[in-house]
Every structure is written in C-alpha cells, then in structure tokens.
Amino acid sequence: MRHFEVRICDDEKYYIDDLKTLISTLSNELDYEIGVSTYLDVEELLQDVLEEKKPCHILFLDVEMPKMSGVDAAIKLRKEGYEGVICFVTGFDKYALNAFQVDALGYICKPARYDELKRLMKRACIQVFYQIDEEEAKKRYIEVSSHGKEFVVDLKKVLYIEKRKNQAIIHMEEGEITCYEPLKMLYARLNQEKFVYTHQGFIANFEKIKEVCQDSVMFGEGCEIPVSRKYQKDLRKRHMEMVRSGLIR
C-alpha cells in the first residue's frame, strides 16, 4: 500500500476536523495509507515544513488566516524550495486565480464536499507518486565516467566499491566498472542509508551483506572484503537487527 503525508492548516478547528474526516474516508476508498497532520498556526506549519521534520507530500492551506494568508504562506514555501502539492481551501472562488502564481494544484470551497475532494486528491496522488518514483530513481541510479564513456550504474546490482590508487572499482553482481573518481566523492553521491564504509578503502551495499565477521564482510559465494575495527561493531549490530526483522535473509 502506498503511503503519503498530508498537512492541513486552517485557523478554524471545525473545518480542519471536517477535512481530516473526509480524507480518512477517502484513504479507505482509494486504498492509500494517508497520514494527516493539522495546524491552527500557519507559522508553526511553515517551521515544520521548511525544517523537514517529517515528509509533507500534500498541503491544504486555508486562504484567509489572521497571521498570514494561505497564498502568502504558499509563496514563502515555494521561495524556500518546497516542491510538494499545494491545495487551497477557501470560501471565495476569486482566489482560484492566485493559485497559479505558486503552482498550486487547485482549491476546494468550504465546507469541503467529498466528491470535489476526491477529484482533487486523485490528481494530487498522481503528482505525488510521480515525484516519489522520480526520487527513488535518482537514488537507484548514478552516472559514472569510465575510459572516456558514461555509464549508468544500477546501484541495486552493486556489491561493493573499492578504492584502488586514484580509481574507484565498482564491483557488480556481474562484472565491474572502473571510474576515475575518488571514493569519498563517489560516496557523497550514494544513498548513505544503503551504502556503508567497512574500511577506509571499501564501501559495501548493506543490503547485499550476508555476514559480518571479525575482520571481513561476506557477500556469499566466496566474495568478501575487509572490515576495520572502526566499523565492525556497528555494522554487525545493524546487520543482526535487520536479520532478526526479516529484512535480510
């Protein structure tokens, strides 16, 4: 089941509760897991979204609020780089015109109607899932230069990366790629939740590790790389936690 996060900001709790209930009903109908966070204070919302305390895929902003209008809040968010879906909640159709300056998806009128919300959320979901899939693709593939040619590397097929003089050797499930990029710079481009140092000259794809031994990391079928004392304890602990959870077999 796909999951995304919605935030609602309105200075009137009644409308917040009404919209939250409709979204909960819609979540069951569409078979999506939708988390909902609510705010009466627009400044608190801005702080949480901009500090990225947790994901915010879809944002419902009341247009008329005492401290700052929803349109002004949306403008501030876009200027600060927020790329999620913005929807306005308003009692006035005239605000539909302002939606375009912040690339808003649309608006619904108070009190929210289920059929209108459903149409808007279906469009929002398409946009959100496209963004999520695009981000996942960015994390899965990287481009590297090898022998004057550009290669796209599928990181899911990488076992480990080895430093060899001024080169980085990417060891794949089938074959290897040599690129002239320092290991440290290559590591900065990787998803560091999935790729971990085992040694100053080796980076492992954590999901491919079969066993963490005293002085080596095993990938199976006789493939292993060294692990230094600096990383061994934390790697073994994390690996055992993943094995017990069933995420690694």
Side-chain angles (χ1 to χ4, degrees):
M1 182 182 293
R2 304 206 73 164
H3 173 90
F4 57 89
E5 292 290 329
V6 171
R7 299 193 190 193
I8 304 169
C9 186
D10 196 312
D11 63 317
E12 296 180 89
K13 190 174 185 300
Y14 169 81
Y15 289 115
I16 285 180
D17 292 342
D18 182 46
L19 188 54
K20 185 176 180 180
T21 299
L22 291 177
I23 290 174
S24 178
T25 303
L26 187 62
S27 173
N28 293 328
E29 182 180 342
L30 298 179
D31 199 27
Y32 297 146
E33 185 179 331
I34 305 177
V36 180
S37 302
T38 61
Y39 298 81
L40 290 165
D41 187 328
V42 66
E43 292 180 350
E44 182 183 349
L45 167 84
L46 289 173
Q47 181 177 344
D48 280 3
V49 173
L50 294 177
E51 289 182 0
E52 297 183 334
K53 291 183 177 179
K54 64 179 181 179
C56 176
H57 301 111
I58 302 174
L59 181 57
F60 284 92
L61 286 170
D62 179 28
V63 169
E64 292 200 339
M65 292 184 284
K67 292 183 179 180
M68 181 186 298
S69 76
V71 174
D72 288 340
I75 291 172
K76 180 175 178 60
L77 286 168
R78 289 301 192 212
K79 284 182 177 178
E80 295 293 331
Y82 175 69
E83 297 180 348
V85 176
I86 293 177
C87 304
F88 290 123
V89 183
T90 177
F92 305 94
D93 285 354
K94 65 180 181 179
Y95 286 109
L97 296 174
N98 292 332
F100 295 105
Q101 65 179 303
V102 291
D103 192 27
L105 183 68
Y107 71 103
I108 55 175
C109 290
K110 295 181 179 180
R113 287 172 42 192
Y114 187 76
D115 58 337
E116 290 183 351
L117 176 64
K118 183 177 179 179
R119 282 196 294 270
L120 188 63
M121 284 291 283
K122 279 186 172 181
R123 292 167 54 209
C125 289
I126 291 171
Q127 190 168 321
V128 169
F129 295 152
Y130 175 82
Q131 291 173 347
I132 291 174
D133 291 343
E134 188 176 39
E135 286 302 312
E136 287 299 316
K138 287 179 182 177
K139 292 177 182 178
R140 177 169 175 174
Y141 301 96
I142 61 169
E143 283 191 6
V144 298
S145 179
S146 177
H147 303 294
K149 297 181 180 180
E150 296 296 322
F151 290 86
V152 177
V153 177
D154 184 347
L155 295 174
K156 285 197 171 186
K157 296 182 179 179
V158 173
L159 295 175
Y160 65 93
I161 306 172
E162 174 189 3
K163 176 183 178 182
R164 194 179 295 169
K165 295 184 179 180
N166 64 333
Q167 302 171 342
I169 313 300
I170 303 172
H171 295 265
M172 315 282 290
E173 291 174 346
E174 297 179 0
E176 61 183 45
I177 297 174
T178 301
C179 67
Y180 293 89
E181 183 173 355
L183 195 64
K184 186 176 180 180
M185 289 180 62
L186 190 57
Y187 179 66
R189 296 203 284 135
L190 300 174
N191 180 346
Q192 294 172 17
E193 290 294 316
K194 295 185 177 181
F195 284 84
V196 293
Y197 272 99
T198 68
H199 184 279
Q200 65 177 1
F202 289 85
I203 296 169
N205 182 344
F206 187 79
E207 294 180 346
K208 299 292 185 181
I209 295 175
K210 301 297 183 184
E211 186 178 358
V212 180
C213 303
Q214 189 66 34
D215 55 7
S216 65
V217 166
M218 312 290 291
F219 298 98
E221 297 183 1
C223 180
E224 62 181 273
I225 59 175
V227 61
S228 64
R229 187 179 303 173
K230 177 180 178 180
Y231 301 107
Q232 195 268 351
K233 185 177 179 180
D234 287 341
L235 270 176
R236 173 173 279 185
K237 179 182 177 182
R238 181 181 168 192
H239 183 260
M240 288 307 300
E241 287 173 352
M242 297 292 279
V243 170
R244 283 194 289 266
S245 68
L247 296 176
I248 293 180
R249 293 179 174 84

